[in-house]
Amino acid sequence: MAESMGLRQQAHVLQVLAAILHFGNVRFGDASDHSEDAAVVHSPEEINVCAQLLGVSSAALTATLSYKMALVGGAVRDALARALYHVLFYWLVDQVNRNTSDAEAANHIAVLQ
């Protein structure tokens, strides 16, 4: 029989979900020098929370999200949140399928393949 998801994996899943939710609270504004290449993060505390949950530096996350943000609005933030959710969802589906299928069983149900 397959093993269940461990507490460490559960914690990582919850961390990624929390980061995705916190991305929605990140606010941006125009750069004061009217630069077209960047925007300014107006909620650094949310960036810090997201960075900590994802295990990356706040500076790197801020740079990634604010570069050319003036041209695309919140699209970079939203695309990153969607990508994280997408990868997490498919990883979870794979884990469920691995843990519920049994090669010796006559019948089994595959979840969302």
Side-chain angles (χ1 to χ4, degrees):
M1 178 166 219
E3 295 179 23
S4 64
M5 186 183 302
L7 291 177
R8 186 178 192 141
Q9 286 180 320
Q10 290 176 26
H12 287 137
V13 167
L14 294 175
Q15 282 180 285
V16 172
L17 286 174
I20 292 168
L21 293 173
H22 278 280
F23 274 130
N25 296 329
V26 175
R27 302 287 176 246
F28 300 93
D30 293 332
S32 61
D33 63 358
H34 303 290
S35 169
E36 293 184 16
D37 290 336
V40 176
V41 174
H42 288 300
S43 52
E45 62 285 344
E46 291 297 335
I47 290 288
N48 291 338
V49 170
C50 291
Q52 183 179 16
L53 289 167
L54 294 173
V56 299
S57 75
S58 296
L61 186 57
T62 299
T64 299
L65 292 174
S66 62
Y67 181 69
K68 293 194 178 186
M69 187 63 72
L71 299 175
V72 294
V76 172
R77 174 198 62 201
D78 297 343
L80 179 58
R82 277 194 304 275
L84 285 170
Y85 184 77
H86 177 82
V87 170
L88 178 64
F89 179 79
Y90 281 103
W91 180 83
L92 284 170
V93 167
D94 183 59
Q95 293 299 307
V96 169
N97 285 334
R98 287 178 190 217
N99 290 326
T100 58
S101 66
D102 185 355
E104 296 177 14
N107 297 314
H108 73 276
I109 299 172
V111 178
L112 299 171
Q113 283 193 332

